[in-house]
Amino acid sequence: MLLKLSLGIFTVLVLNHVFVLVDRLGYLRHNHRHHPGTCRKVPGALHGSEDFAVTNHGDVFITSGLSWRINSPGYIAYSKRKNITGKIMLFRFGNPEKGVTSLKLKSSPSFNPTEFRPHGIDIIEDKVKGEHILFVVNHPKNLPDRIEKFQYLPETKELEHLKTYTSEKFKTLNDVAALGPDSFYTTNMCASVGRIPVMAEMLLLMKWGSVLYHRPDGEVLEAIPGLFQPNGITLSKDGRSVYVSVADVLHLYNRHDNGSLLLVQELPMQTQLDNIQEDLTSQTIYIGCQPKVHKFVDFYEHPEEEIAPSQVLAIPLNEKGLFEGNRVTELLYDHGNLISSSSVATVIDGKMLVGTVHDKLAYCEMN
């Protein structure tokens, strides 16, 4: 009797796990194509526009050429054929016809531009000095993940490397949210390192990810433990709130002066969430999403043969800074013909820029 009961419970648990996994991979989701207006591909952006750092003047720093230890064999071969390299591009909403400009990377004793493989990005603007400091997640080949800090030199279109941040707690990093000259949050997407362990962690739905806090004194603390695949992270404009994409759920945290975070709200979204941007002028959050993860996996393995859907969501905030879940709007859904696998989006003055993990970059004039 006890054996039958145990087998029954085990069977229910396995079936439930399979159902949750199938749902998260997007097999049960159906969407219809729609664009917010006239959309086109941006010249010069060919191999990814994974994350944005947007200035108050509408300049957008874009990471491109994402490559990390969990790359699929198909993408590794594709990347070698296309000679894809990591870079940071600049797009200006004030001059969209120009497309993107690739910025020159200046080396330092701790930074080799040929080993640069960028992922998440954030920016600190010094309005008095007119300086722009960038924080970028880097996955250098055969080295542990780290965070790089650059200063943008507008006269020469260069990024001067200032500092490299490392920690034994950095495992598989994804995104970064800058607080000050030497402090930031970063998402540790998984506790594992390497393709097979990371894939196992994801498929088993293990909540081993975390948000880490790098203090100004260099100490790294675990601000939020026990998360399943935390991805994008962004600070609110007033610096009091932190938004985190956790698989298909959007989290809102209040930030304390000591860097600790208190969960305030969770908003289930029924799509795989990626990077987050807050509107520069209105109380709105924009998120690039991958609604059908199984198609993203196919596209990742065979980027020249497959396509994957792109989706952009807008989430309004109320007067208390909370998500208004009943007013979420889908700004864009594309089956992958325009761009595949959207990862980030931002809207300025009725114009929208949409980035992708490994594909191109799209610009939309919204109706």
Side-chain angles (χ1 to χ4, degrees), residues 40 42-43 57-60 90-101 157 351 353 363 365:
R40 62 180 185 271
V42 176
H57 297 290
D59 292 345
V60 186
L90 179 64
F91 174 89
R92 289 197 160 100
F93 269 90
N95 189 11
E97 300 300 329
K98 186 178 179 181
V100 296
T101 301
K157 301 293 189 298
K351 310 294 191 299
L353 193 67
Y363 175 78
E365 297 180 354

Coordinates of all heavy atoms in Angstrom, one line a residue, residues 40 42-43 57-60 90-101 157 351 353 363 365:
R40 N 11.2 48.7 -39.2 CA 12.3 48.3 -40.1 C 13.6 47.9 -39.4 O 13.7 48.2 -38.2 CB 12.6 49.5 -41.1 CG 13.2 50.7 -40.4 CD 13.5 51.8 -41.4 NE 14.1 53.0 -40.8 CZ 13.4 54.0 -40.3 NH1 12.1 54.0 -40.3 NH2 14.1 55.0 -39.8
V42 N 17.5 48.0 -38.4 CA 18.4 49.1 -38.3 C 19.7 48.7 -39.0 O 20.3 47.7 -38.8 CB 18.7 49.5 -36.9 CG1 19.8 50.5 -36.7 CG2 17.4 49.9 -36.2
P43 N 20.2 49.6 -39.9 CA 21.5 49.3 -40.6 C 22.7 49.1 -39.7 O 22.8 49.8 -38.7 CB 21.7 50.5 -41.5 CG 20.4 51.1 -41.7 CD 19.6 50.8 -40.4
H57 N 19.3 61.8 -23.1 CA 19.2 62.5 -24.4 C 18.8 61.6 -25.5 O 18.8 62.0 -26.7 CB 20.6 63.2 -24.7 CG 21.0 64.3 -23.7 ND1 20.3 65.5 -23.7 CD2 22.0 64.3 -22.8 CE1 20.9 66.2 -22.7 NE2 21.9 65.5 -22.2
G58 N 18.5 60.4 -25.2 CA 18.1 59.4 -26.3 C 19.2 58.7 -27.0 O 18.9 58.2 -28.1
D59 N 20.4 58.7 -26.4 CA 21.4 57.9 -27.0 C 21.4 56.5 -26.4 O 21.1 56.4 -25.2 CB 22.8 58.5 -26.7 CG 23.0 59.8 -27.5 OD1 22.2 60.1 -28.4 OD2 24.0 60.5 -27.1
V60 N 21.6 55.5 -27.2 CA 21.4 54.1 -26.7 C 22.7 53.3 -26.9 O 23.1 53.1 -28.1 CB 20.2 53.4 -27.4 CG1 20.0 52.0 -26.8 CG2 19.0 54.2 -27.4
L90 N 26.4 52.2 -30.7 CA 25.7 53.4 -30.3 C 24.6 53.7 -31.3 O 24.9 53.8 -32.5 CB 26.6 54.6 -30.1 CG 26.0 55.9 -29.7 CD1 25.4 55.8 -28.3 CD2 27.1 57.0 -29.8
F91 N 23.4 53.9 -30.8 CA 22.3 54.4 -31.7 C 21.7 55.6 -31.1 O 21.6 55.8 -29.9 CB 21.2 53.3 -31.7 CG 19.9 53.7 -32.4 CD1 19.8 53.4 -33.8 CD2 18.9 54.3 -31.7 CE1 18.6 53.8 -34.5 CE2 17.7 54.6 -32.4 CZ 17.6 54.4 -33.8
R92 N 21.3 56.6 -32.0 CA 20.8 57.9 -31.5 C 19.4 58.0 -32.1 O 19.1 58.0 -33.3 CB 21.7 59.0 -32.0 CG 23.0 59.1 -31.3 CD 23.6 60.5 -31.5 NE 24.6 60.7 -30.4 CZ 26.0 60.6 -30.6 NH1 26.4 60.1 -31.8 NH2 26.8 60.8 -29.6
F93 N 18.4 58.2 -31.1 CA 17.0 58.4 -31.5 C 16.9 59.7 -32.3 O 16.0 59.8 -33.2 CB 16.1 58.4 -30.3 CG 15.6 57.1 -29.9 CD1 16.2 56.3 -29.0 CD2 14.3 56.7 -30.4 CE1 15.7 55.1 -28.7 CE2 13.8 55.4 -30.1 CZ 14.5 54.6 -29.2
G94 N 17.8 60.6 -32.1 CA 17.8 61.9 -32.8 C 18.2 61.8 -34.3 O 18.0 62.7 -35.1
N95 N 18.9 60.6 -34.6 CA 19.4 60.4 -36.0 C 19.3 58.9 -36.3 O 20.3 58.3 -36.6 CB 20.8 60.9 -36.1 CG 21.3 60.9 -37.6 OD1 20.5 60.8 -38.5 ND2 22.6 61.1 -37.7
P96 N 18.0 58.4 -36.4 CA 17.9 57.0 -36.6 C 18.3 56.5 -38.0 O 18.7 55.3 -38.1 CB 16.3 56.8 -36.4 CG 15.7 58.1 -36.8 CD 16.7 59.1 -36.3
E97 N 18.3 57.4 -39.0 CA 18.7 56.9 -40.3 C 20.2 56.5 -40.4 O 20.6 55.8 -41.3 CB 18.4 58.1 -41.3 CG 17.0 58.5 -41.4 CD 16.1 57.4 -41.8 OE1 16.5 56.5 -42.6 OE2 14.9 57.4 -41.4
K98 N 21.0 57.0 -39.5 CA 22.4 56.7 -39.5 C 22.7 55.2 -39.0 O 23.7 54.7 -39.3 CB 23.1 57.6 -38.5 CG 24.7 57.5 -38.6 CD 25.4 58.5 -37.7 CE 26.9 58.3 -37.7 NZ 27.6 59.3 -36.8
G99 N 21.7 54.6 -38.4 CA 21.9 53.3 -37.9 C 22.7 53.2 -36.6 O 22.6 54.1 -35.8
V100 N 23.6 52.3 -36.5 CA 24.4 52.1 -35.3 C 25.9 52.4 -35.7 O 26.3 52.2 -36.8 CB 24.3 50.7 -34.7 CG1 22.9 50.5 -34.2 CG2 24.7 49.6 -35.7
T101 N 26.6 52.8 -34.7 CA 28.1 53.0 -34.8 C 28.7 52.1 -33.8 O 28.4 52.1 -32.6 CB 28.4 54.5 -34.4 OG1 27.8 55.4 -35.3 CG2 29.9 54.7 -34.5
K157 N 34.6 58.6 -30.0 CA 33.7 57.4 -30.1 C 34.4 56.2 -29.5 O 34.4 55.1 -30.1 CB 33.3 57.2 -31.5 CG 32.5 58.3 -32.2 CD 31.2 58.6 -31.5 CE 30.3 59.6 -32.3 NZ 30.9 60.9 -32.4
K351 N 8.7 56.6 -30.7 CA 9.6 55.7 -31.5 C 10.0 54.6 -30.6 O 10.4 54.8 -29.4 CB 10.8 56.5 -32.1 CG 10.4 57.8 -32.8 CD 9.6 57.5 -34.0 CE 9.5 58.8 -34.9 NZ 8.8 59.9 -34.2
L353 N 12.7 51.1 -30.1 CA 13.8 50.4 -30.6 C 13.7 49.0 -29.9 O 13.5 48.9 -28.7 CB 15.1 51.1 -30.1 CG 16.4 50.6 -30.7 CD1 16.4 50.9 -32.3 CD2 17.6 51.2 -30.1
Y363 N 13.6 49.2 -35.5 CA 13.2 50.5 -35.2 C 11.7 50.7 -35.7 O 11.5 50.5 -36.8 CB 14.1 51.6 -35.8 CG 13.7 53.0 -35.6 CD1 14.0 53.7 -34.4 CD2 13.1 53.7 -36.6 CE1 13.6 55.0 -34.2 CE2 12.8 55.1 -36.5 CZ 13.0 55.7 -35.3 OH 12.7 57.0 -35.1
E365 N 8.2 53.3 -35.9 CA 7.5 54.5 -35.7 C 6.1 54.2 -35.3 O 5.3 53.7 -36.2 CB 7.6 55.4 -37.0 CG 9.0 55.8 -37.3 CD 9.1 56.6 -38.6 OE1 8.1 56.7 -39.3 OE2 10.2 57.0 -38.9

